[in-house]
């Protein structure tokens, strides 16, 4: 079955370190998204991509970057981790068009703690 | 700009009673509306969506949602709540300016007691 996976599931790092969170989907979806979930803020969009070599900033993109070199993967990099980036991170994907367009499928999440 | 609002942080329901989780929206153009559910320590799962057609949309796990254009609402409903329905529920709207993007509400914690 098609799925979307994230790794690691839990990560503890120190302030100032570079961290990369992996997201891999086997849906063959063009669209991929990264969100962070914080208490009282719901889900906030960090970055998104509509296809290979395409990346776009979301509402909370400062301090984060992504790259899309193939359809399956959209890694999220924290250039220099800050305590404010302690959060749960979710990756999602969706089809570009068709009757299922816009329905996003989510990964299980990565809980990141920055000390 | 598109937006959704979930006016209740928490909803408490007794098992077997009907439940409603509220969502209102603000959009320019036709709304594409979604409901997702999040169980503890899990990612969000798609429940249902409204794009066009019948105002009553049926989804997974016995849930349904009623689209009301005059009240700009898209409330999630279930005739008989189960303890296992206890979870965090998110309403979302497609951002028409950016195809594929969804804008999520703050979430409503549903607690179903035996």
């Amino acid at each position: 079955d098609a799925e979307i996976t994230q790794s690691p599931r839990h990560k503890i790092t120190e302030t100032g370190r570079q961290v990369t969170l992996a997201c891999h989907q086997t849906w063959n979806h063009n669209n991929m998204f990264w969100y962070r979930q914080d208490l009282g803020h719901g889900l906030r969009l960090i970055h998104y991509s509509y296809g290979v070599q395409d990346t776009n900033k979301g509402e909370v993109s400062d301090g984060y970057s992504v790259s899309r070199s193939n359809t399956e993967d959209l890694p999220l990099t924290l250039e220099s981790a800050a305590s404010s980036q302690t959060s749960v991170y979710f990756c999602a994907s969706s089809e570009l068009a068709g009757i299922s367009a816009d329905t996003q499928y989510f990964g299980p999440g990565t809980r990141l703690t920055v000390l | 700009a598109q937006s959704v609002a979930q006016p209740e942080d928490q909803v408490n329901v007794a098992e077997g009673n009907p439940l409603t989780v509220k969502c209102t929206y603000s959009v320019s153009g036709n709304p594409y509306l979604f409901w997702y559910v999040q169980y503890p320590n899990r990612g969000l799962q798609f429940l249902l969506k409204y794009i066009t057609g019948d105002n009553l949309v049926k989804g997974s796990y016995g849930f349904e949602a009623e689209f009301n254009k005059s009240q700009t609402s898209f409330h999630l409903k279930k005739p008989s709540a189960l303890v296992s329905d206890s979870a965090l529920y998110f309403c979302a709207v497609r951002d028409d300016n950016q195809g594929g993007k969804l804008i999520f509400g703050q979430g409503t914690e549903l607690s179903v007691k035996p």
Side-chain angles (χ1 to χ4, degrees), chain B residues 26-48:
Chain B
S26 174
V27 302
S28 55
N30 295 321
Y32 286 32
L33 297 160
F34 299 77
W35 276 103
Y36 283 81
V37 60
Q38 184 181 29
Y39 298 102
N41 300 312
R42 302 284 296 276
L44 278 69
Q45 296 179 32
F46 169 73
L47 275 180
L48 52 81

Side-chain angles (χ1 to χ4, degrees), chain A residues 33 37 40-41 50 99 103-104, chain B residues 36 38 43 49 98-100 106:
Chain A
F33 308 86
Q37 184 178 26
H41 290 280
Y50 290 145
I99 60 172
T103 299
Q104 294 188 11
Chain B
Y36 283 81
Q38 184 181 29
K49 70 178 177 183
Q98 305 274 356
Q106 297 301 309

Side-chain angles (χ1 to χ4, degrees), chain B residues 57-78:
Chain B
V57 180
K58 295 191 182 296
S60 306
Y61 312 122
F63 284 93
E64 58 190 25
E66 186 172 9
F67 172 71
N68 188 316
K69 188 172 183 178
S70 62
Q71 296 186 4
T72 61
S73 66
F74 189 56
H75 300 333
L76 182 70
K77 300 182 179 184
K78 188 173 182 181

